[in-house]
PDB file of all heavy atoms in Angstrom:
ATOM      1  N   GLN V1510      -6.907  43.240  -7.183  1.00  0.00           N
ATOM      2  CA  GLN V1510      -7.144  42.580  -5.892  1.00  0.00           C
ATOM      3  C   GLN V1510      -6.158  41.430  -5.669  1.00  0.00           C
ATOM      4  O   GLN V1510      -6.545  40.295  -5.415  1.00  0.00           O
ATOM      5  CB  GLN V1510      -8.589  42.077  -5.827  1.00  0.00           C
ATOM      6  CG  GLN V1510      -9.623  43.161  -5.957  1.00  0.00           C
ATOM      7  CD  GLN V1510      -9.567  44.138  -4.803  1.00  0.00           C
ATOM      8  OE1 GLN V1510      -9.441  43.743  -3.643  1.00  0.00           O
ATOM      9  NE2 GLN V1510      -9.624  45.414  -5.115  1.00  0.00           N
ATOM     10  N   LYS V1511      -4.878  41.726  -5.736  1.00  0.00           N
ATOM     11  CA  LYS V1511      -3.826  40.706  -5.648  1.00  0.00           C
ATOM     12  C   LYS V1511      -3.944  39.872  -4.374  1.00  0.00           C
ATOM     13  O   LYS V1511      -3.884  38.649  -4.418  1.00  0.00           O
ATOM     14  CB  LYS V1511      -2.455  41.386  -5.723  1.00  0.00           C
ATOM     15  CG  LYS V1511      -1.286  40.437  -5.618  1.00  0.00           C
ATOM     16  CD  LYS V1511       0.026  41.211  -5.712  1.00  0.00           C
ATOM     17  CE  LYS V1511       1.203  40.331  -5.412  1.00  0.00           C
ATOM     18  NZ  LYS V1511       2.470  41.062  -5.496  1.00  0.00           N
ATOM     19  N   THR V1512      -4.126  40.514  -3.235  1.00  0.00           N
ATOM     20  CA  THR V1512      -4.211  39.796  -1.961  1.00  0.00           C
ATOM     21  C   THR V1512      -5.390  38.833  -1.971  1.00  0.00           C
ATOM     22  O   THR V1512      -5.261  37.679  -1.536  1.00  0.00           O
ATOM     23  CB  THR V1512      -4.336  40.788  -0.787  1.00  0.00           C
ATOM     24  OG1 THR V1512      -3.223  41.683  -0.838  1.00  0.00           O
ATOM     25  CG2 THR V1512      -4.358  40.067   0.539  1.00  0.00           C
ATOM     26  N   PHE V1513      -6.514  39.268  -2.474  1.00  0.00           N
ATOM     27  CA  PHE V1513      -7.701  38.412  -2.579  1.00  0.00           C
ATOM     28  C   PHE V1513      -7.385  37.171  -3.415  1.00  0.00           C
ATOM     29  O   PHE V1513      -7.735  36.052  -3.029  1.00  0.00           O
ATOM     30  CB  PHE V1513      -8.868  39.196  -3.203  1.00  0.00           C
ATOM     31  CG  PHE V1513     -10.031  38.342  -3.593  1.00  0.00           C
ATOM     32  CD1 PHE V1513     -10.912  37.863  -2.633  1.00  0.00           C
ATOM     33  CD2 PHE V1513     -10.244  37.993  -4.925  1.00  0.00           C
ATOM     34  CE1 PHE V1513     -11.996  37.053  -2.994  1.00  0.00           C
ATOM     35  CE2 PHE V1513     -11.308  37.192  -5.292  1.00  0.00           C
ATOM     36  CZ  PHE V1513     -12.193  36.724  -4.333  1.00  0.00           C
ATOM     37  N   PHE V1514      -6.727  37.358  -4.561  1.00  0.00           N
ATOM     38  CA  PHE V1514      -6.402  36.234  -5.435  1.00  0.00           C
ATOM     39  C   PHE V1514      -5.408  35.273  -4.789  1.00  0.00           C
ATOM     40  O   PHE V1514      -5.538  34.058  -4.931  1.00  0.00           O
ATOM     41  CB  PHE V1514      -5.861  36.716  -6.780  1.00  0.00           C
ATOM     42  CG  PHE V1514      -6.910  37.333  -7.658  1.00  0.00           C
ATOM     43  CD1 PHE V1514      -6.811  38.652  -8.038  1.00  0.00           C
ATOM     44  CD2 PHE V1514      -7.982  36.600  -8.102  1.00  0.00           C
ATOM     45  CE1 PHE V1514      -7.768  39.227  -8.846  1.00  0.00           C
ATOM     46  CE2 PHE V1514      -8.952  37.155  -8.914  1.00  0.00           C
ATOM     47  CZ  PHE V1514      -8.849  38.486  -9.288  1.00  0.00           C
ATOM     48  N   ILE V1515      -4.429  35.803  -4.092  1.00  0.00           N
ATOM     49  CA  ILE V1515      -3.428  34.937  -3.443  1.00  0.00           C
ATOM     50  C   ILE V1515      -4.095  34.099  -2.355  1.00  0.00           C
ATOM     51  O   ILE V1515      -3.892  32.876  -2.284  1.00  0.00           O
ATOM     52  CB  ILE V1515      -2.266  35.778  -2.857  1.00  0.00           C
ATOM     53  CG1 ILE V1515      -1.550  36.561  -3.964  1.00  0.00           C
ATOM     54  CG2 ILE V1515      -1.293  34.889  -2.080  1.00  0.00           C
ATOM     55  CD1 ILE V1515      -0.921  35.734  -5.043  1.00  0.00           C
ATOM     56  N   ILE V1516      -4.911  34.725  -1.506  1.00  0.00           N
ATOM     57  CA  ILE V1516      -5.599  33.997  -0.429  1.00  0.00           C
ATOM     58  C   ILE V1516      -6.544  32.950  -1.004  1.00  0.00           C
ATOM     59  O   ILE V1516      -6.564  31.798  -0.568  1.00  0.00           O
ATOM     60  CB  ILE V1516      -6.337  34.977   0.511  1.00  0.00           C
ATOM     61  CG1 ILE V1516      -5.323  35.802   1.300  1.00  0.00           C
ATOM     62  CG2 ILE V1516      -7.289  34.230   1.443  1.00  0.00           C
ATOM     63  CD1 ILE V1516      -5.908  36.962   2.071  1.00  0.00           C
ATOM     64  N   THR V1517      -7.304  33.333  -2.022  1.00  0.00           N
ATOM     65  CA  THR V1517      -8.235  32.406  -2.657  1.00  0.00           C
ATOM     66  C   THR V1517      -7.487  31.224  -3.267  1.00  0.00           C
ATOM     67  O   THR V1517      -7.907  30.067  -3.126  1.00  0.00           O
ATOM     68  CB  THR V1517      -9.064  33.123  -3.746  1.00  0.00           C
ATOM     69  OG1 THR V1517      -9.754  34.213  -3.138  1.00  0.00           O
ATOM     70  CG2 THR V1517     -10.048  32.188  -4.407  1.00  0.00           C
ATOM     71  N   THR V1518      -6.378  31.499  -3.929  1.00  0.00           N
ATOM     72  CA  THR V1518      -5.586  30.424  -4.541  1.00  0.00           C
ATOM     73  C   THR V1518      -5.022  29.489  -3.480  1.00  0.00           C
ATOM     74  O   THR V1518      -5.053  28.268  -3.647  1.00  0.00           O
ATOM     75  CB  THR V1518      -4.442  31.013  -5.395  1.00  0.00           C
ATOM     76  OG1 THR V1518      -5.014  31.853  -6.400  1.00  0.00           O
ATOM     77  CG2 THR V1518      -3.623  29.916  -6.042  1.00  0.00           C
ATOM     78  N   LEU V1519      -4.528  30.033  -2.382  1.00  0.00           N
ATOM     79  CA  LEU V1519      -3.989  29.185  -1.313  1.00  0.00           C
ATOM     80  C   LEU V1519      -5.082  28.298  -0.704  1.00  0.00           C
ATOM     81  O   LEU V1519      -4.835  27.116  -0.412  1.00  0.00           O
ATOM     82  CB  LEU V1519      -3.317  30.042  -0.238  1.00  0.00           C
ATOM     83  CG  LEU V1519      -2.011  30.718  -0.682  1.00  0.00           C
ATOM     84  CD1 LEU V1519      -1.507  31.683   0.399  1.00  0.00           C
ATOM     85  CD2 LEU V1519      -0.944  29.681  -1.020  1.00  0.00           C
ATOM     86  N   LEU V1520      -6.275  28.834  -0.535  1.00  0.00           N
ATOM     87  CA  LEU V1520      -7.393  28.027  -0.032  1.00  0.00           C
ATOM     88  C   LEU V1520      -7.760  26.931  -1.031  1.00  0.00           C
ATOM     89  O   LEU V1520      -7.987  25.775  -0.638  1.00  0.00           O
ATOM     90  CB  LEU V1520      -8.607  28.918   0.247  1.00  0.00           C
ATOM     91  CG  LEU V1520      -8.483  29.870   1.436  1.00  0.00           C
ATOM     92  CD1 LEU V1520      -9.675  30.827   1.482  1.00  0.00           C
ATOM     93  CD2 LEU V1520      -8.364  29.096   2.742  1.00  0.00           C
ATOM     94  N   LEU V1521      -7.782  27.271  -2.300  1.00  0.00           N
ATOM     95  CA  LEU V1521      -8.091  26.304  -3.346  1.00  0.00           C
ATOM     96  C   LEU V1521      -7.037  25.197  -3.401  1.00  0.00           C
ATOM     97  O   LEU V1521      -7.362  24.012  -3.534  1.00  0.00           O
ATOM     98  CB  LEU V1521      -8.158  27.020  -4.694  1.00  0.00           C
ATOM     99  CG  LEU V1521      -9.062  26.403  -5.726  1.00  0.00           C
ATOM    100  CD1 LEU V1521      -9.756  27.517  -6.492  1.00  0.00           C
ATOM    101  CD2 LEU V1521      -8.292  25.536  -6.674  1.00  0.00           C
ATOM    102  N   LEU V1522      -5.772  25.584  -3.277  1.00  0.00           N
ATOM    103  CA  LEU V1522      -4.692  24.594  -3.293  1.00  0.00           C
ATOM    104  C   LEU V1522      -4.766  23.682  -2.069  1.00  0.00           C
ATOM    105  O   LEU V1522      -4.512  22.482  -2.177  1.00  0.00           O
ATOM    106  CB  LEU V1522      -3.332  25.293  -3.342  1.00  0.00           C
ATOM    107  CG  LEU V1522      -3.003  26.010  -4.646  1.00  0.00           C
ATOM    108  CD1 LEU V1522      -1.721  26.818  -4.507  1.00  0.00           C
ATOM    109  CD2 LEU V1522      -2.908  25.024  -5.793  1.00  0.00           C
ATOM    110  N   SER V1523      -5.127  24.238  -0.930  1.00  0.00           N
ATOM    111  CA  SER V1523      -5.288  23.428   0.283  1.00  0.00           C
ATOM    112  C   SER V1523      -6.399  22.399   0.095  1.00  0.00           C
ATOM    113  O   SER V1523      -6.245  21.226   0.461  1.00  0.00           O
ATOM    114  CB  SER V1523      -5.600  24.319   1.491  1.00  0.00           C
ATOM    115  OG  SER V1523      -4.551  25.203   1.731  1.00  0.00           O
ATOM    116  N   ALA V1524      -7.522  22.828  -0.484  1.00  0.00           N
ATOM    117  CA  ALA V1524      -8.634  21.907  -0.742  1.00  0.00           C
ATOM    118  C   ALA V1524      -8.219  20.831  -1.741  1.00  0.00           C
ATOM    119  O   ALA V1524      -8.536  19.646  -1.560  1.00  0.00           O
ATOM    120  CB  ALA V1524      -9.851  22.674  -1.242  1.00  0.00           C
ATOM    121  N   ALA V1525      -7.506  21.220  -2.799  1.00  0.00           N
ATOM    122  CA  ALA V1525      -7.059  20.245  -3.804  1.00  0.00           C
ATOM    123  C   ALA V1525      -6.136  19.200  -3.166  1.00  0.00           C
ATOM    124  O   ALA V1525      -6.282  17.996  -3.419  1.00  0.00           O
ATOM    125  CB  ALA V1525      -6.346  20.957  -4.960  1.00  0.00           C
ATOM    126  N   LEU V1526      -5.213  19.646  -2.329  1.00  0.00           N
ATOM    127  CA  LEU V1526      -4.312  18.709  -1.646  1.00  0.00           C
ATOM    128  C   LEU V1526      -5.093  17.784  -0.713  1.00  0.00           C
ATOM    129  O   LEU V1526      -4.848  16.572  -0.680  1.00  0.00           O
ATOM    130  CB  LEU V1526      -3.236  19.478  -0.871  1.00  0.00           C
ATOM    131  CG  LEU V1526      -2.246  18.628  -0.082  1.00  0.00           C
ATOM    132  CD1 LEU V1526      -1.457  17.714  -1.013  1.00  0.00           C
ATOM    133  CD2 LEU V1526      -1.308  19.508   0.724  1.00  0.00           C
ATOM    134  N   TYR V1527      -6.036  18.341   0.018  1.00  0.00           N
ATOM    135  CA  TYR V1527      -6.863  17.547   0.934  1.00  0.00           C
ATOM    136  C   TYR V1527      -7.561  16.423   0.168  1.00  0.00           C
ATOM    137  O   TYR V1527      -7.515  15.262   0.569  1.00  0.00           O
ATOM    138  CB  TYR V1527      -7.884  18.457   1.626  1.00  0.00           C
ATOM    139  CG  TYR V1527      -8.891  17.711   2.461  1.00  0.00           C
ATOM    140  CD1 TYR V1527      -8.587  17.312   3.763  1.00  0.00           C
ATOM    141  CD2 TYR V1527     -10.150  17.395   1.955  1.00  0.00           C
ATOM    142  CE1 TYR V1527      -9.506  16.619   4.526  1.00  0.00           C
ATOM    143  CE2 TYR V1527     -11.073  16.710   2.712  1.00  0.00           C
ATOM    144  CZ  TYR V1527     -10.752  16.321   4.000  1.00  0.00           C
ATOM    145  OH  TYR V1527     -11.661  15.636   4.756  1.00  0.00           O
ATOM    146  N   PHE V1528      -8.207  16.773  -0.959  1.00  0.00           N
ATOM    147  CA  PHE V1528      -8.930  15.763  -1.715  1.00  0.00           C
ATOM    148  C   PHE V1528      -7.981  14.776  -2.385  1.00  0.00           C
ATOM    149  O   PHE V1528      -8.283  13.590  -2.467  1.00  0.00           O
ATOM    150  CB  PHE V1528      -9.857  16.407  -2.740  1.00  0.00           C
ATOM    151  CG  PHE V1528     -11.027  17.090  -2.105  1.00  0.00           C
ATOM    152  CD1 PHE V1528     -11.220  18.449  -2.263  1.00  0.00           C
ATOM    153  CD2 PHE V1528     -11.924  16.394  -1.313  1.00  0.00           C
ATOM    154  CE1 PHE V1528     -12.287  19.088  -1.662  1.00  0.00           C
ATOM    155  CE2 PHE V1528     -12.994  17.024  -0.702  1.00  0.00           C
ATOM    156  CZ  PHE V1528     -13.174  18.380  -0.880  1.00  0.00           C
TER     157      PHE V1528
END
Side-chain angles (χ1 to χ4, degrees):
Q1510 300 296 316
K1511 179 180 172 180
T1512 304
F1513 169 77
F1514 288 118
I1515 299 299
I1516 291 170
T1517 302
T1518 301
L1519 290 173
L1520 290 172
L1521 208 142
L1522 291 172
S1523 298
L1526 179 62
Y1527 173 83
F1528 289 119

